[in-house]
């Protein structure tokens, strides 16, 4: 196959040289050599060239507007020596592909096992290197359904932000199970929600976590209402997709689940979105500490506390703030993210 490809690469130069030799032999002003499938190599000469002079050695195959295409003895030699180089390459590649596919199918069990082992090894090495480079720490799993960590960061935002403020995460135990965050745009609400999900996910796949200390109870599922990808094919509006995601969380969430909701209800009128979010949180709050999932919510509905029923005192409200870093006596323009750790009255 390599020899055939090398020949195909040199073929234009070979045909040019043959055309020059034939031009001198026939004393033609100009001529060229081309390959025509099913016919072979042909010598193209000007139409006014007197082919009858070489009637014994030239066979006229066809003519076009300006050229006459003939088969000479040299062209017949090229047919024998070279043939259809491109088709030979395609045939060889097809044969190799079929044989390789057959071999892989016959050894699929072994190959899939190797692929799984290789993927797991690659993931483990990547997580280990990341933990060492960025100073992640080993989480501790506990029996209680809690999430308790200090100085948690979003691993990606920490890299791209010059001054990133680490935040605590505490849910369950003596802390509230439902946490509602509000605050100005770009104060870090969504980043905080994501880093909570990343913290729990990394811990459950056996990785170190981007936190100083982390005590985490077993979480059976992570349910989110973060993004809605629109498509004309599914026949659903953005708000309908949001409702579908929240309905799944309502049906499947239990005391061992982590539920993250970012700006639910903003895709419709406030008169509709606010009651929906409030009733959803009230439903979970009614379960109390023993049945309520870990819930982290970001919302711009400032009136939300007035509509949430919290008989078991499992809901707390927090405010995000923008913090400007002051270094070497100068005010930096980079904004860091900070979530006030203590509940506030809204």
């Amino acid at each position: 196959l390599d020899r055939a490809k090398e020949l195909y690469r040199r073929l234009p130069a070979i045909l040019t040289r043959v055309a020059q030799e034939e031009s001198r032999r026939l004393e033609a002003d100009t001529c060229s050599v081309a390959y025509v499938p099913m016919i072979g190599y042909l010598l193209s000469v000007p139409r006014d060239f007197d082919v009858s002079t070489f009637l014994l050695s030239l066979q006229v195959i066809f003519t076009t507007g300006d050229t006459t295409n003939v088969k000479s003895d040299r062209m017949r030699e090229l047919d024998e020596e070279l043939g259809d180089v491109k088709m030979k390459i395609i045939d060889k590649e097809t044969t190799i592909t079929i044989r390789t596919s057959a071999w892989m199918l016959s050894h699929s069990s072994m190959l899939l096992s190797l692929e799984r082992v290789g993927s797991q090894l690659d993931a483990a090495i990547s997580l280990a290197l990341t933990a060492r480079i960025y100073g992640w720490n080993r989480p501790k799993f506990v029996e209680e359904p809690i999430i308790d960590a200090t100085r948690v960061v979003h691993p990606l935002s920490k890299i791209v932000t010059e001054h990133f403020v680490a935040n605590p995460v505490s849910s369950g135990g003596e802390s509230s199970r439902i946490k509602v965050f509000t605050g100005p745009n770009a104060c870090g609400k969504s980043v905080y929600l994501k880093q909570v999900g990343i913290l729990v996910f990394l811990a459950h796949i056996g990785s170190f976590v981007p936190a100083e200390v982390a005590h985490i109870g077993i979480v059976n599922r992570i349910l989110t209402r973060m993004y809605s990808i629109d498509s004309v094919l599914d026949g659903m509006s953005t708000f309908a997709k949001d409702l579908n995601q929240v309905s799944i969380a309502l049906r499947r969430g239990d005391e061992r689940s982590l539920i993250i909701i970012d700006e639910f209800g903003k895709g419709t009128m406030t008169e509709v979105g606010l009651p929906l979010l409030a009733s959803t949180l009230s439903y979970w709050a009614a379960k109390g500490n023993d049945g309520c999932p870990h819930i982290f919510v970001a919302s711009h509905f400032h009136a939300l506390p007035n509509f949430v029923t919290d008989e078991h005192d499992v809901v707390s409200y927090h405010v995000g703030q923008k913090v400007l870093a002051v270094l070497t006596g100068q005010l930096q323009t980079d904004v860091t993210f900070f979530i006030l750790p203590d509940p506030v009255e809204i």
Side-chain angles (χ1 to χ4, degrees):
L1 179 60
D2 292 338
R3 287 194 296 269
K5 288 187 175 182
E6 176 62 21
L7 175 60
Y8 187 73
R9 186 186 67 82
R10 295 188 295 109
L11 192 58
I14 295 174
L15 297 183
T16 299
R17 187 179 69 252
V18 172
Q20 292 172 348
E21 294 173 354
E22 289 292 272
S23 177
R24 288 192 295 268
R25 185 178 70 85
L26 300 175
E27 298 181 352
D29 294 335
T30 180
C31 65
S32 61
V33 177
Y35 181 82
V36 180
M38 307 302 294
I39 297 177
Y41 292 93
L42 295 177
L43 183 66
S44 297
V45 296
R47 188 162 185 174
D48 58 1
F49 179 76
D50 188 5
V51 179
S52 61
T53 307
F54 303 90
L55 191 59
L56 296 178
S57 61
L58 297 180
Q59 176 188 0
V60 177
I61 304 300
F62 63 89
T63 60
T64 60
D66 299 325
T67 61
T68 300
N69 297 276
V70 300
K71 178 78 75 172
S72 66
D73 293 337
R74 187 71 179 96
M75 298 302 104
R76 296 184 181 91
E77 291 177 2
L78 290 178
D79 290 339
E80 293 293 331
E81 295 173 2
L82 303 180
D84 192 341
V85 180
K86 187 173 183 179
M87 284 306 301
K88 289 180 180 178
I89 293 174
I90 294 175
D91 290 343
K92 290 180 180 294
E93 289 178 338
T94 302
T95 301
I96 292 172
T97 301
I98 293 174
R99 289 178 178 176
T100 303
S101 299
W103 184 89
M104 293 179 67
L105 288 173
S106 63
H107 297 79
S108 59
S109 178
M110 177 193 67
L111 293 175
L112 289 174
S113 298
L114 290 175
E115 185 270 337
R116 283 192 293 268
V117 172
S119 299
Q120 293 172 0
L121 182 61
D122 178 65
I125 293 174
S126 299
L127 291 172
L129 289 175
T130 302
R132 185 173 67 178
I133 293 172
Y134 296 107
W136 293 4
N137 294 291
R138 179 180 178 181
K140 181 180 180 180
F141 280 95
V142 295
E143 292 293 333
E144 299 83 5
I146 65 170
I147 302 174
D148 189 10
T150 59
R151 297 192 59 79
V152 183
V153 299
H154 189 293
L156 297 181
S157 296
K158 179 67 169 62
I159 296 174
V160 300
T161 304
E162 185 175 355
H163 309 294
F164 189 94
V165 176
N167 287 282
V169 175
S170 182
S171 178
E174 297 181 358
S175 299
S176 59
R177 303 278 293 193
I178 301 177
K179 287 180 167 53
V180 180
F181 301 93
T182 189
N185 290 328
C187 72
K189 300 186 299 297
S190 296
V191 172
Y192 183 82
L193 298 186
K194 292 173 185 176
Q195 72 187 36
V196 172
I198 292 173
L199 171 77
V200 174
F201 177 77
L202 288 174
H204 280 73
I205 64 173
S207 170
F208 281 28
V209 296
E212 189 174 81
V213 178
H215 296 84
I216 300 175
I218 299 298
V219 172
N220 55 17
R221 58 180 62 90
I222 300 175
L223 303 167
T224 67
R225 204 316 303 167
M226 299 288 289
Y227 300 108
S228 294
I229 301 176
D230 294 327
S231 174
V232 297
L233 301 178
D234 53 27
M236 297 178 66
S237 66
T238 301
F239 182 58
K241 293 178 182 178
D242 292 349
L243 290 174
N244 184 58
Q245 292 174 341
V246 173
S247 69
I248 293 174
L250 286 168
R251 293 194 304 270
R252 303 190 63 187
D254 57 31
E255 70 279 2
R256 288 284 183 178
S257 302
L258 170 62
I259 299 175
I260 299 174
I261 300 176
D262 191 7
E263 300 290 354
F264 173 63
K266 71 175 183 179
T268 185
M269 297 181 296
T270 302
E271 294 81 358
V272 177
L274 175 58
L276 282 172
L277 179 57
S279 60
T280 299
L281 297 182
S282 297
Y283 168 79
W284 279 317
K287 294 177 177 291
N289 281 317
D290 295 334
C292 182
H294 302 287
I295 301 173
F296 293 80
V297 181
S299 175
H300 279 297
F301 292 139
H302 301 299
L304 184 63
N306 300 326
F307 296 93
V308 175
T309 303
D310 184 19
E311 297 179 354
H312 300 283
D313 196 24
V314 296
V315 184
S316 62
Y317 300 91
H318 306 258
V319 177
Q321 292 183 344
K322 290 183 179 180
V323 181
L324 296 179
V326 179
L327 297 177
T328 63
Q330 295 182 350
L331 186 64
Q332 304 295 310
T333 57
D334 293 330
V335 176
T336 58
F337 305 120
F338 179 67
I339 299 294
L340 294 179
D342 298 322
V344 297
E345 295 292 336
I346 299 180

